[in-house]
Amino acid sequence: MSAISASEKVDGFTRKSMRKAQKQRKSQGSSQYRTQSAPVELSPLPQLKDAPSTEQQELFTQKLQQCCMLFDFLDSVTDLKSKEIKRATLNELVDYVSTNRGVLVETAYPEITDMICTNIFRTLPPSENPDFDPEEDEPTLEASWPHIQLVYEFLLRFLENPDFQPSIAKRYIDQKFVLQLLELFDSEDPRERDFLKTILHRIYGKFLGLRAFIRKQINNIFLRFIYETEHFNGVAELLEILGSIINGFALPLKAEHKQFLMKVLIPLHTAKALSLFHAQLAYCVVQFLEKDPTLTEPVIRGLLKFWPKTCSQKEVMFLGEIEEILDVIEPTQFKKIQEPLFKQISKCVANPHFQVAERALYFWNNEYILSLIEENIDKILPIMFGSLYRISKEHWNPTIVALVYNVLKTLMEMNCTLFDELTSSYKADRQREKKKEQERDELWKQLEELRLSNPTLVHGQNRKILKNNNPRYGPSDSSWDNEGKTCSQLG
Amino acid sequence: MAGADGDDSLYPIAVLIDELRNEDVQLRLNSIKKLSTIALALGVERTRTELLPFLTDTIYDEDEVLLALAEQLGNFTMLVGGPEYVHCLLPPLESLATVEETVVRDKAVESLRKISQEHSPVDLEVHFEPLVKRLASGDWFTSRTSACGLFSVCYPRVSSTVKAEIRQHFRTLCSDDTPMVRRAAASKLGEFAKVLELDYVKSDIISLFTALASDEQDSVRLLAVEACVSIATLLPQEDLETLVMPTLRQAAEDKSWRVRYMVADKFSELQKAVGPEITKNDLVPAFQNLLKDCEAEVRAAAANKVKEFCENLPEDSREQIIMTHILPCVKELVSDTNQHVKSALASVIMGLSTILGKDNTIEHLLPLFLAQLKDECPEVRLNIISNLDCVNEVIGIRQLSQSLLPAIVELAEDAKWRVRLAIIEYMPLLAGQLGVEFFDEKLNTLCMAWLIDHVYAIREAATCNLMKLVEKFGAEWAQNTIVPKVLGMANDPNYLHRMTTLFCINALSEACGQDITTKQMLPVVLKMSNDQVANVRFNVAKSLQKIGPVLDSNALQTEVKPVLEKLATDTDMDVKYFAQEAISGKHFCLPLEVIERSVQVGGRVFFLPTRQNLLCLLNAKRDCSVQSFDKEIMWLSYPNSIYQTTLPFCTVLCCNTDCIGLIKELPRPVVMGTSSVVKVLLIIIPPPNPR
């Protein structure tokens, strides 16, 4: 949603210069749009601990109201005194709710939530860097953190106070509150997301009525992330919360939860920024499989469907996740998916990127996986053999070749006869494949001729080329020759 | 039409389906992309009864395969037997419209929209509309989002009872539980409003619009802004105030910057939709606020619209509004803290001068231009320079030239080569406006200095720049100012600079003409064939090949040929290669009459290496007999434009080249060469099929 100026199209230096600018100014204010008039100067109130107990409650309310005043932190010189007063007051409030009993009377709840909402709920500002890469770039930090941090701290202590009563609080900490809280997870500031994570977890624990709603909204955030924007900073944090939620699911799993696994968690693997939350995601997936092993087959098929095609880094992560799954797999489930799975693994060991090949070959160091392979060697060996045999001869990386030899040796020891058979039939198999290929080409050639002889179709095809502006036919040698001939003929 | 009914023995469906099921995704994808061929082999009957059911059953595949399938099915009407049977395509497309992946779903919806037009009104109600209803009430959000895009295509062609149902479905989706669906509905709201009867727009659409515009999610609210444009266009002026304006005002002040950004981004459209009165009363203050917004993104989007907004103001009060309301904000933006805002403004601010006229421009705008020309951010300066033409028309460029020169010099020497590249690209434009005298005096040295820049891209651009300058100022100017300097570099100790001489000659020979090329350039090139650096020598071979067409045949035979032959025996294999290439004449262009002849012979090869020759060919077209010509070439144009054709069987090819060959094996024309001076589009009709 960032404006692209005409000159950015002219040259590509913007991004770099922007990053440079960012280095100079890394903190950013919230996008407060004319929410209030200029701040009024605050005057300090007496300390809560000095006030007589009869007036304490009144003073507490006053202090909460005082903390509703918002300040501009990008401007580091104005309102210094008031900012300091608010900071001290917030500190005192944090201390007050965490150490005192009996302070959370019913009338205090609306005042407390009002103060919290005013301070933390805000539209997050546009990112300084539209192509923010969480792995490389420094995050933009929230400028008003000195206050916001204390408000988060206060919210947490409020929720954790032994006197806290969800039955009263639910009037204020409602669906709207949760929705706004979830939107804040997109904050670029990791400190803020960390607080939010703990807070949302507490809310999920204390407000039974909000649980389904929270799960649904997290679903929506993820789906939007996967299919619409591909941008959300808090995926890892939300997954971490979900990890512990999944842990507490009752058996048998509800259809809603299974749907969440298959339609949200598995597609999450397609995200470009997978590396930022893969650990948490894999944890969630394995949690599901430990709860209900019958989900193994659809999960692995799902992963195979979304297997990365061009990103080796992601492929390594997928292999890691597969190993985590295989660690907990039941032998009966293993039998169901071994064929498609090992077809993929056989492609991975033959991958020219040595890290991918290496990660796949490490499976053979895992005792449990090895025992599963041995049990099903007659199925797995024919799938793996071709790739391993070929790679043992032609992979560029000597470490991989050495690993492949070890794997071949292990497999040979598992079933010597089969291994010998496969070795002797290797050549014939390759030739058969080649022949099949030729037959396919032949078939398509015939079909192509048929297509060319049909004018309607040729026309349709051509229209498409026009539309895609697709230069399908590059320079070809034969045409050059033609060219030369004509030249000489005419010259 | 051989094979239109299929041939069981030759193409058993099993074989074809095997191809569609192949384990290798790439092969599967290839097969799906040729699904029309398969259908053709099977014939319409079996496509309907065997192929389509198979496709419907196997919709669990890689998204890429599904995407190809969704696209193919949109063009399948003839292959299933024409409009009468088009509804057979609905089941597979319905499944595709429910998959998760957005691109697949969108493509399926696109295809459904396309084939909906091919349904008869009866079929639309019997087959298509029930599909829309099923999608609209699907369990998972994907089918409901897809449904949103289908209402508007079937609404106009169904009976009033069905219309009522459709409206009801759309209403339901607008308040769907899932934000994804509400977003889809919001984005189709404008489109749907357009096909509705005005009464229903007022009764139904407005309430939906108001609800979506105050949705809890800003991603939904901002889509309502887009719909606002269409809705406002549909309503009569007197209803706008009560039905649309409250919502629009609210959007312009939304607490989320994304919504305000959207308002700023759509401002010109909104302005046109609500008309002059509301613009004066409401939009002017709203625009001022957007220009002063607290978020730079919003300010930049608004700044981008300054010119368009001012242009479209009602004429009677235009100047007054600009001077009292807009200009003060613009002045502030010139010194904005954010460079994107400033550069957005710089890209349009020059346009204000034509609106305000000479006096106001000199008094009010000129100081702003000058300030922006001195901006710390190079983008801002570049944007000003790239739009000089607007100012030139109003006050003449002289007013600016004093400040312009330092700005140009500074950009020309910027440490970032992309900045230097950008300013080089504006040089021909600047030269044209500043005139040859000013140019010779102030800018010529810069242009020559770029030729020895340490970045290749700059040297290359500088070469191209010289060519454009010569085209502008003429060969005589070139001979006096540029050519001596360029040729002087042939003796430079740095081989990269010597090569630059060759590149310049390549670029300039045509513009300079035969005389200069033969007498001044050719001797230098020939002399360089003895260079000790192989790179220079093989570039000599390439240059000779390149300038060959400009030389006369006598020089070619007596001077060029011996040198090339010598180079062809060089010790370096690259030099040998390029010399042989040049000798074999592949790149030599054919004289004009040959082009003509080859065209008339039909199917013979011809060459179009230069823009001039291309023009010649176009002229030739008029001279030669139209009948014979039309068999070969329907239309030829440049650069990069596409001419519609009504003739049915043609191959269209768009390429980035200045050499086009045409061979007999149509419909595959072959493109040769890689240089990108002229972009050509060639439309060719294949000769009548021998079969």
Side-chain angles (χ1 to χ4, degrees):
Chain A
M1 196 95 325
S2 72
I4 295 168
S5 63
S7 54
E8 264 183 84
K9 287 172 207 149
V10 174
D11 52 56
F13 63 87
T14 353
R15 194 168 150 180
K16 239 185 192 169
S17 63
M18 217 158 50
R19 280 197 183 154
K20 208 175 152 201
Q22 197 192 359
K23 265 173 207 154
Q24 288 152 3
R25 187 168 66 95
K26 245 182 257 163
S27 66
Q28 190 173 36
S30 309
S31 185
Q32 303 277 12
Y33 181 69
R34 286 177 231 146
T35 39
Q36 62 175 32
S37 43
V40 184
E41 196 168 315
L42 298 184
S43 47
L45 294 165
Q47 292 273 303
L48 277 162
K49 63 174 189 285
D50 301 337
S53 56
T54 46
E55 288 164 28
Q56 253 182 3
Q57 204 53 50
E58 173 61 26
L59 187 60
F60 181 50
T61 312
Q62 278 178 13
K63 290 201 173 223
L64 285 169
Q65 282 163 358
Q66 201 170 44
C67 287
C68 288
M69 183 67 72
L70 300 178
F71 297 97
D72 180 5
F73 272 82
L74 278 185
D75 189 343
S76 53
V77 285
T78 55
D79 308 314
L80 279 179
K81 205 174 132 220
S82 299
K83 281 177 187 166
E84 175 52 29
I85 291 171
K86 179 169 168 183
R87 199 194 57 80
T89 313
L90 281 168
N91 255 328
E92 195 191 353
L93 290 174
V94 170
D95 193 49
Y96 186 67
V97 290
S98 41
T99 51
N100 295 13
R101 294 294 305 262
V103 294
L104 295 184
V105 296
E106 196 169 337
T107 50
Y109 280 79
E111 300 286 349
I112 288 173
T113 42
D114 197 34
M115 190 279 278
I116 291 164
C117 293
T118 316
N119 276 286
I120 64 171
F121 293 151
R122 65 213 192 273
T123 307
L124 292 169
S127 175
E128 284 275 291
N129 180 354
D131 338 274
F132 174 65
D133 176 355
E135 281 193 307
E136 270 189 29
D137 302 337
E138 287 290 314
T140 312
L141 299 178
E142 172 61 48
S144 54
W145 189 244
H147 285 172
I148 289 200
Q149 176 186 21
L150 294 169
V151 178
Y152 278 126
E153 185 80 46
F154 176 77
L155 171 56
L156 198 57
R157 296 299 164 85
F158 168 61
L159 292 168
E160 285 171 350
N161 188 302
D163 298 332
F164 179 79
Q165 287 189 41
S167 53
I168 302 171
K170 75 177 181 198
R171 263 175 267 160
Y172 312 103
I173 299 183
D174 53 3
Q175 295 194 347
K176 188 158 179 261
F177 185 97
V178 169
L179 205 58
Q180 288 175 288
L181 201 68
L182 281 168
E183 271 171 28
L184 291 174
F185 274 84
D186 194 22
S187 169
E188 247 179 61
D189 194 330
R191 303 168 300 183
E192 178 163 20
R193 295 202 304 271
D194 205 51
F195 260 114
L196 287 164
K197 184 177 70 187
T198 323
I199 289 165
L200 185 67
H201 199 236
R202 295 286 177 282
I203 293 178
Y204 191 88
K206 290 190 193 283
F207 296 85
L208 301 185
L210 285 174
R211 286 185 177 181
F213 180 78
I214 291 175
R215 287 198 306 267
K216 200 172 84 189
Q217 294 308 322
I218 292 180
N219 256 355
N220 288 342
I221 288 176
F222 284 168
L223 288 169
R224 182 168 181 221
F225 170 75
I226 302 166
Y227 296 116
E228 292 182 12
T229 58
E230 283 196 31
H231 175 91
F232 192 83
N233 290 315
V235 178
E237 283 79 4
L238 291 176
L239 282 170
E240 212 176 314
I241 300 171
L242 284 167
S244 66
I245 293 178
I246 295 164
N247 211 348
F249 282 162
L251 285 173
L253 287 176
K254 282 193 220 163
E256 174 214 328
H257 301 324
K258 289 186 190 171
Q259 191 183 48
F260 171 68
L261 170 68
M262 294 314 299
K263 298 223 169 187
V264 181
L265 288 186
I266 298 297
L268 258 184
H269 286 83
T270 58
K272 202 165 62 183
L274 178 68
S275 60
L276 295 171
F277 53 81
H278 181 253
Q280 291 85 346
L281 180 58
Y283 178 79
C284 287
V285 171
V286 174
Q287 287 288 306
F288 262 113
L289 299 187
E290 287 200 280
K291 285 257 162 197
D292 183 355
T294 60
L295 292 169
T296 314
E297 187 186 350
V299 163
I300 289 188
R301 283 190 188 277
L303 289 176
L304 292 176
K305 181 182 168 189
F306 294 130
W307 201 271
K309 295 204 170 53
T310 52
C311 180
S312 306
Q313 193 202 3
K314 272 175 75 174
E315 221 172 336
V316 173
M317 286 183 250
F318 269 60
L319 285 166
E321 185 167 346
I322 291 286
E323 182 162 5
E324 278 181 58
I325 294 173
L326 290 178
D327 270 331
V328 299
I329 201 167
E330 286 181 1
T332 47
Q333 296 297 325
F334 182 80
K335 280 196 199 326
K336 286 185 192 164
I337 47 84
Q338 56 184 357
E339 279 180 48
L341 178 62
F342 276 83
K343 272 179 192 157
Q344 182 57 55
I345 293 175
S346 115
K347 278 186 210 156
C348 291
V349 296
N351 196 302
H353 194 303
F354 79 98
Q355 284 177 337
V356 176
E358 188 180 55
R359 187 67 193 81
L361 290 164
Y362 279 164
F363 282 13
W364 274 262
N365 293 347
N366 184 316
E367 287 297 323
Y368 182 62
I369 296 179
L370 221 50
S371 71
L372 291 168
I373 294 176
E374 184 154 20
E375 250 172 69
N376 302 285
I377 186 71
D378 50 329
K379 285 273 187 312
I380 290 171
L381 188 53
I383 299 172
M384 293 299 300
F385 184 80
S387 293
L388 290 171
Y389 191 80
R390 187 163 57 80
I391 284 306
S392 70
K393 291 194 179 352
E394 55 189 51
H395 204 281
W396 61 274
N397 185 302
T399 322
I400 298 299
V401 175
L403 281 170
V404 166
Y405 272 117
N406 282 338
V407 169
L408 277 173
K409 193 163 148 273
T410 323
L411 291 173
M412 190 175 72
E413 280 160 8
M414 286 177 183
N415 188 337
C416 195
T417 354
L418 181 58
F419 193 92
D420 287 344
E421 269 170 37
L422 288 167
T423 320
S424 52
S425 66
Y426 178 78
K427 254 200 187 132
D429 284 347
R430 288 298 87 84
Q431 260 158 10
R432 205 173 312 130
E433 270 171 36
K434 238 181 210 159
K435 197 167 162 239
K436 231 176 151 186
E437 193 109 323
Q438 275 172 355
E439 281 171 9
R440 169 176 309 111
D441 285 349
E442 205 51 42
L443 171 72
W444 280 109
K445 223 178 254 168
Q446 284 173 1
L447 289 174
E448 187 68 12
E449 271 166 26
L450 177 69
R451 190 183 70 87
L452 288 180
S453 67
N454 186 306
T456 10
L457 218 59
V458 176
H459 175 45
Q461 210 65 26
N462 293 337
R463 261 209 326 234
K464 242 170 283 152
I465 301 171
L466 176 65
K467 207 175 70 201
N468 302 341
N469 196 10
N470 185 2
R472 278 174 56 153
Y473 309 122
S476 81
D477 286 339
S478 64
S479 64
W480 282 117
D481 291 347
N482 254 332
E483 196 66 27
K485 245 180 264 160
T486 319
C487 257
S488 52
Q489 275 163 11
L490 296 164
Chain B
M1 279 205 291
D5 303 322
D7 183 339
D8 282 347
S9 58
L10 195 56
Y11 313 109
I13 185 149
V15 177
L16 298 174
I17 282 182
D18 259 5
E19 284 296 292
L20 293 171
R21 269 193 188 131
N22 199 298
E23 237 173 61
D24 187 329
V25 186
Q26 192 54 50
L27 290 177
R28 223 155 57 219
L29 186 61
N30 291 346
S31 320
I32 279 283
K33 283 188 174 156
K34 291 179 184 159
L35 197 62
S36 55
T37 314
I38 293 180
L40 189 70
L42 290 171
V44 293
E45 175 82 37
R46 295 182 65 202
T47 299
R48 290 198 300 268
T49 53
E50 295 174 47
L51 184 62
L52 286 177
F54 163 76
L55 292 171
T56 316
D57 288 343
T58 50
I59 298 197
Y60 175 86
D61 203 332
E62 297 267 339
D63 291 327
E64 215 170 328
V65 177
L66 298 183
L67 175 68
L69 179 59
E71 186 175 2
Q72 289 275 317
L73 291 177
N75 299 320
F76 242 56
T77 311
M78 291 321 285
L79 293 164
V80 293
E84 203 183 325
Y85 296 100
V86 67
H87 59 85
C88 299
L89 298 171
L90 296 179
L93 282 171
E94 180 174 354
S95 313
L96 287 167
T98 61
V99 301
E100 260 81 29
E101 181 49 53
T102 330
V103 282
V104 177
R105 233 185 309 137
D106 289 350
K107 189 55 86 180
V109 171
E110 196 187 310
S111 289
L112 279 169
R113 287 169 71 113
K114 205 161 158 189
I115 65 168
S116 74
Q117 303 306 322
E118 281 151 2
H119 280 71
S120 67
V122 176
D123 278 349
L124 205 64
E125 273 191 37
V126 177
H127 300 286
F128 198 87
E129 203 269 341
L131 170 146
V132 179
K133 273 196 248 171
R134 281 195 299 278
L135 288 175
S137 42
D139 281 338
W140 189 240
F141 79 95
T142 51
S143 67
R144 301 201 299 276
T145 43
S146 292
C148 293
L150 296 173
F151 293 121
S152 65
V153 289
C154 51
Y155 188 84
R157 297 174 60 211
V158 293
S159 65
S160 56
T161 27
V162 179
K163 278 184 176 177
E165 285 174 32
I166 292 179
R167 286 196 306 273
Q168 179 53 43
H169 277 293
F170 193 80
R171 253 199 308 274
T172 317
L173 293 184
C174 282
S175 52
D176 197 277
D177 200 26
T178 326
M180 278 77 76
V181 179
R182 292 203 304 278
R183 278 195 287 274
S187 65
K188 299 292 177 197
L189 184 65
E191 179 190 294
F192 188 55
K194 281 186 194 157
V195 299
L196 242 59
E197 297 80 357
L198 186 59
D199 283 346
Y200 291 122
V201 173
K202 287 187 196 172
S203 61
D204 285 29
I205 296 289
I206 294 298
S207 64
L208 297 175
F209 167 61
T210 319
L212 290 169
S214 39
D215 195 274
E216 59 194 9
Q217 305 243 341
D218 60 0
S219 53
V220 179
R221 294 202 299 275
L222 65 87
L223 290 168
V225 175
E226 266 189 298
C228 186
V229 177
S230 325
I231 294 172
T233 322
L234 295 170
L235 292 174
Q237 190 70 29
E238 63 269 21
D239 289 329
L240 287 176
E241 181 52 45
T242 47
L243 297 180
V244 175
M245 284 318 288
T247 312
L248 181 57
R249 273 187 216 114
Q250 176 195 321
E253 306 223 312
D254 197 281
K255 67 182 193 312
S256 163
W257 61 270
R258 289 185 187 84
V259 181
R260 301 196 306 275
Y261 170 90
M262 201 59 161
V263 175
D265 197 47
K266 298 272 166 232
F267 216 81
S268 305
E269 288 94 324
L270 288 167
Q271 182 187 11
K272 281 179 203 143
V274 298
E277 276 313 302
I278 295 181
T279 297
K280 267 192 263 182
N281 301 333
D282 282 275
L283 293 195
V284 172
F287 194 59
Q288 282 175 290
N289 283 338
L290 291 170
L291 287 172
K292 290 187 214 151
D293 198 276
C294 62
E295 285 304 340
E297 252 78 357
V298 182
R299 289 199 304 277
N304 258 322
K305 302 285 165 192
V306 165
K307 184 196 154 202
E308 243 178 297
F309 180 74
C310 293
E311 242 169 20
N312 295 329
L313 284 170
E315 226 163 287
D316 54 339
S317 50
R318 183 192 291 157
E319 190 172 325
Q320 179 257 331
I321 292 177
I322 298 177
M323 296 306 290
T324 50
H325 298 290
I326 307 297
L327 206 57
C329 301
V330 168
K331 278 182 185 158
E332 273 177 51
L333 290 182
V334 167
S335 49
D336 199 276
T337 48
N338 185 293
Q339 63 172 28
H340 295 293
V341 178
K342 286 187 293 187
S343 80
L345 182 69
S347 64
V348 297
I349 189 173
M350 311 289 272
L352 290 180
S353 51
T354 33
I355 304 171
L356 287 178
K358 189 171 177 182
D359 295 337
N360 279 329
T361 301
I362 293 177
E363 192 184 338
H364 298 285
L365 293 176
L366 197 58
L368 304 181
F369 300 157
L370 295 178
Q372 292 217 300
L373 268 179
K374 293 193 188 91
D375 199 276
E376 56 180 11
C377 165
E379 264 177 86
V380 177
R381 282 174 272 152
L382 271 177
N383 280 352
I384 289 288
I385 290 174
S386 62
N387 286 298
L388 279 176
D389 46 341
C390 321
V391 163
N392 196 16
E393 285 161 24
V394 183
I395 58 168
I397 213 159
R398 290 281 157 186
Q399 295 270 7
L400 275 174
S401 56
Q402 281 314 312
S403 316
L404 207 50
L405 197 63
I408 294 173
V409 173
E410 206 179 316
L411 289 169
E413 289 161 358
D414 197 283
K416 295 191 183 77
W417 68 268
R418 286 177 199 278
V419 177
R420 299 201 296 278
L421 185 64
I423 188 75
I424 293 176
E425 277 163 9
Y426 295 125
M427 261 315 165
L429 179 79
L430 284 171
Q433 301 191 343
L434 292 166
V436 65
E437 259 171 64
F438 187 90
F439 183 86
D440 279 345
E441 196 180 317
K442 317 273 188 188
L443 299 177
N444 196 10
T445 37
L446 279 181
C447 289
M448 300 315 288
W450 282 320
L451 288 175
I452 50 168
D453 198 282
H454 60 273
V455 175
Y456 176 74
I458 299 298
R459 296 198 299 273
E460 191 190 26
T463 317
C464 183
N465 173 43
L466 286 188
M467 184 183 76
K468 288 182 187 155
L469 290 174
V470 174
E471 277 172 9
K472 208 150 238 157
F473 294 150
E476 198 184 326
W477 175 82
Q479 192 171 10
N480 296 330
T481 44
I482 293 186
V483 173
K485 289 185 196 171
V486 166
L487 296 181
M489 282 164 62
N491 301 318
D492 198 288
N494 186 336
Y495 85 99
L496 291 172
H497 299 170
R498 297 202 294 279
M499 290 211 306
T500 308
T501 298
L502 290 172
F503 298 146
C504 285
I505 289 174
N506 293 348
L508 294 177
S509 63
E510 197 183 299
C512 286
Q514 198 182 60
D515 195 46
I516 299 177
T517 310
T518 316
K519 288 192 184 139
Q520 298 188 14
M521 296 178 173
L522 184 62
V524 176
V525 179
L526 295 174
K527 199 177 137 216
M528 289 170 89
S529 66
N530 299 318
D531 201 288
Q532 54 182 352
V533 179
N535 300 43
V536 177
R537 292 201 303 279
F538 75 65
N539 272 299
V540 166
K542 282 168 136 185
S543 281
L544 287 174
Q545 178 176 341
K546 189 97 187 171
I547 66 174
V550 187
L551 300 172
D552 62 61
S553 54
N554 184 32
L556 275 177
Q557 290 301 323
T558 57
E559 298 182 64
V560 175
K561 214 174 158 198
V563 170
L564 281 176
E565 277 164 0
K566 194 182 125 219
L567 288 173
T569 58
D570 201 281
T571 47
D572 186 277
M573 74 185 234
D574 290 325
V575 178
K576 249 189 211 168
Y577 172 79
F578 285 108
Q580 277 159 2
E581 282 277 289
I583 291 172
S584 69
K586 281 174 185 170
H587 295 266
F588 278 114
C589 98
L590 304 178
L592 181 62
E593 57 275 11
V594 178
I595 291 175
E596 242 177 286
R597 215 185 314 150
S598 70
V599 165
Q600 285 177 342
V601 168
R604 275 284 161 77
V605 182
F606 67 83
F607 249 146
L608 298 173
T610 65
R611 185 187 291 232
Q612 266 84 355
N613 279 2
L614 187 57
L615 287 172
C616 288
L617 185 87
L618 281 172
N619 292 332
K621 174 183 185 266
R622 289 181 204 115
D623 299 337
C624 64
S625 89
V626 174
Q627 206 187 357
S628 71
F629 198 91
D630 272 1
K631 268 183 199 155
E632 293 305 321
I633 297 172
M634 283 186 48
W635 191 251
L636 196 55
S637 83
Y638 80 97
N640 218 19
S641 57
I642 290 173
Y643 282 80
Q644 288 296 327
T645 158
T646 47
L647 281 168
F649 316 129
C650 64
T651 294
V652 176
L653 175 81
C654 203
C655 56
N656 215 17
T657 173
D658 60 352
C659 296
I660 297 272
L662 175 64
I663 56 165
K664 222 166 187 175
E665 298 152 17
L666 293 166
R668 280 201 177 194
V670 178
V671 182
M672 284 166 275
T674 50
S675 120
S676 57
V677 183
V678 183
K679 292 173 182 163
V680 178
L681 173 82
L682 189 57
I683 303 175
I684 300 157
I685 322 171
N689 201 309
R691 267 168 285 189

